[in-house]
């Protein structure tokens, strides 16, 4: 591992530096001990910059991946040292790109989005959709008024009006006769 000379204002606390080094060491040990579990070679991705969640002043330039796991992230020299002479391939498709950690939005439901985005959205909160920004609708009377407005604007009166966004705490109790009206 390279020792970085931080300006005093950026220097991590001693415990943080030690824990970072221990984490890197454990990662290297885990990486080298798990390398025999797959016949595929290690894949090393090179990039102009790889930003991690660490506070290091310089981004990494390489990441080694094997068996669906990240084995090492760092400079090309650091990653090469961890991989050593093991079979590997160098992938330069991102050589001029910047890589970031993949963030997973735990509240995104792709099937729900595919279902509701073609519908009219009448919700208590504004939404930004591919068709533009929706208006927030709160209260039972306002919700029913918006449904009537959408029904009148429908080009086919025999087609069902499909709406998403009803939420009892914001729109009150609705009955079948409310919706039939």
């Amino acid at each position: 591992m390279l020792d970085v000379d931080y300006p005093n204002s950026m220097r991590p606390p001693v415990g943080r530096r030690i824990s970072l080094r221990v984490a890197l060491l454990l990662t290297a040990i885990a990486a080298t001990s798990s390398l025999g579990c797959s016949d595929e070679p290690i894949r090393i991705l090179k990039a102009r910059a790889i930003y991690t969640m660490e506070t290091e002043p310089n981004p990494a330039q390489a990441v080694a991946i094997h068996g669906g796991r990240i084995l090492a992230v760092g400079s090309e020299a650091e990653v090469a040292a961890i991989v050593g002479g093991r079979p590997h391939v160098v992938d330069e498709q991102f050589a001029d790109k910047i890589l970031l950690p993949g963030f997973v939005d735990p509240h995104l439901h792709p099937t729900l989005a595919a279902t509701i985005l073609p519908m009219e959205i009448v919700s208590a909160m504004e939404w930004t959709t591919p068709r533009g920004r929706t208006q927030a609708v709160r209260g039972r009377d306002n919700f029913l008024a918006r449904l009537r407005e959408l029904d009148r604007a429908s080009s086919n009166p025999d087609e069902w009006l499909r709406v998403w966004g009803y939420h009892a705490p914001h729109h009150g109790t609705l009955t079948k006769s409310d919706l039939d009206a």
Side-chain angles (χ1 to χ4, degrees), residues 91-169:
D91 185 339
E92 297 201 23
Q93 69 178 313
F94 303 111
D96 63 338
K97 307 282 189 250
I98 295 173
L99 300 180
L100 298 169
F103 294 101
V104 176
D105 179 351
H107 200 83
L108 177 64
H109 307 280
T111 54
L112 180 61
T115 302
I116 68 172
L117 285 179
M119 295 182 186
E120 293 293 339
I121 296 178
V122 183
S123 103
M125 281 60 102
E126 291 183 345
W127 280 54
T128 301
T129 72
R131 290 182 288 173
R133 190 135 180 99
T134 67
Q135 294 292 318
V137 176
R138 295 197 178 110
R140 183 177 188 281
D141 292 340
N142 291 334
F143 185 81
L144 290 171
R146 180 66 178 136
L147 293 182
R148 284 190 292 277
E149 180 183 324
L150 290 169
D151 188 48
R152 282 192 300 271
S154 173
S155 60
N156 184 352
D158 295 327
E159 191 173 298
W160 283 51
L161 177 61
R162 297 181 322 147
V163 175
W164 184 89
Y166 168 76
H167 195 57

Side-chain angles (χ1 to χ4, degrees), residues 12 16 22 31 40 45 55 58-59 68 70 92 125 139 166-167 180:
R16 171 99 169 112
V22 169
E40 69 185 50
L45 294 174
T55 58
N58 298 314
I70 294 175
E92 297 201 23
M125 281 60 102
Y166 168 76
H167 195 57
D180 286 344

